[in-house]
Amino acid sequence: MRRIRTTLTALLAVTASALVGVEAQAAHGVTAASETSATAAAAPAPDGFLYAWEHAHAGGMHCRWNGENANWAGCRNRVSDVWNNGFPGRREDVRLFYGLAMTGSWACLQQGQSIPNLNAAGTVFTAPGRGQGQRVNDNVSSHDWVDAC
């Protein structure tokens, strides 16, 4: 799995660089439609799981879930890489919660979205509640699946 994600990340970086170079004269960067098409063509098929790794870029211990989880236990407050490989449709997005039992502030991880380095990305909990404004890196305690967030 790690080799696939590393290869996928490199492939997407090369593809994005090529697309940006071609489109730069007409617009500042790749259009949303081009990004979506390039990502969809290279992404592995959804398997219904949320993945989380202890270290950036699929490093260290990992956990995965195909349903909600009120206590991340071994992965709680120890995650620096997340990937929502859930199925598109109902309950496709994941809310990552600051607190146990889906409490406190949350951050959204949309279907297919991967954040391979939460620390570098600077992702923060944005919903009202305890933990709002805190970094998601090493601060996730629980999650649920929702139709949209």
Side-chain angles (χ1 to χ4, degrees):
M1 177 62 85
R2 184 175 182 185
R3 184 186 305 165
I4 291 170
R5 288 197 65 216
T6 302
T7 302
L8 177 60
T9 301
L11 178 62
L12 287 174
V14 169
T15 302
S17 294
L19 289 173
V20 169
V22 169
E23 300 287 330
Q25 294 175 0
H28 294 92
V30 180
T31 64
S34 295
E35 286 178 352
T36 302
S37 298
T39 302
D47 63 7
F49 284 90
L50 167 64
Y51 292 87
W53 286 269
E54 180 181 18
H55 303 302
H57 305 286
M61 173 190 68
H62 83 277
C63 298
R64 72 179 193 159
W65 305 269
N66 63 355
E68 68 180 32
N69 190 290
N71 183 350
W72 276 24
C75 280
R76 182 174 175 228
N77 297 336
R78 296 179 62 182
V79 169
S80 295
D81 178 350
V82 291
W83 177 32
N84 176 356
N85 199 33
F87 297 114
R90 296 221 50 219
R91 297 172 50 91
E92 69 179 5
D93 294 344
V94 173
R95 292 186 301 177
L96 304 171
F97 285 90
Y98 182 82
L100 292 168
M102 288 73 82
T103 61
S105 188
W106 53 267
C108 182
L109 191 63
Q110 294 180 330
Q111 191 276 326
Q113 183 180 7
S114 173
I115 306 175
N117 189 337
L118 285 165
N119 190 44
T123 307
V124 297
F125 293 101
T126 56
R130 185 169 173 260
Q132 184 178 21
Q134 297 293 313
R135 286 182 171 255
V136 173
N137 187 63
D138 291 336
N139 274 324
V140 180
S141 297
S142 59
H143 77 273
D144 67 2
W145 294 81
V146 295
D147 291 337
C149 58

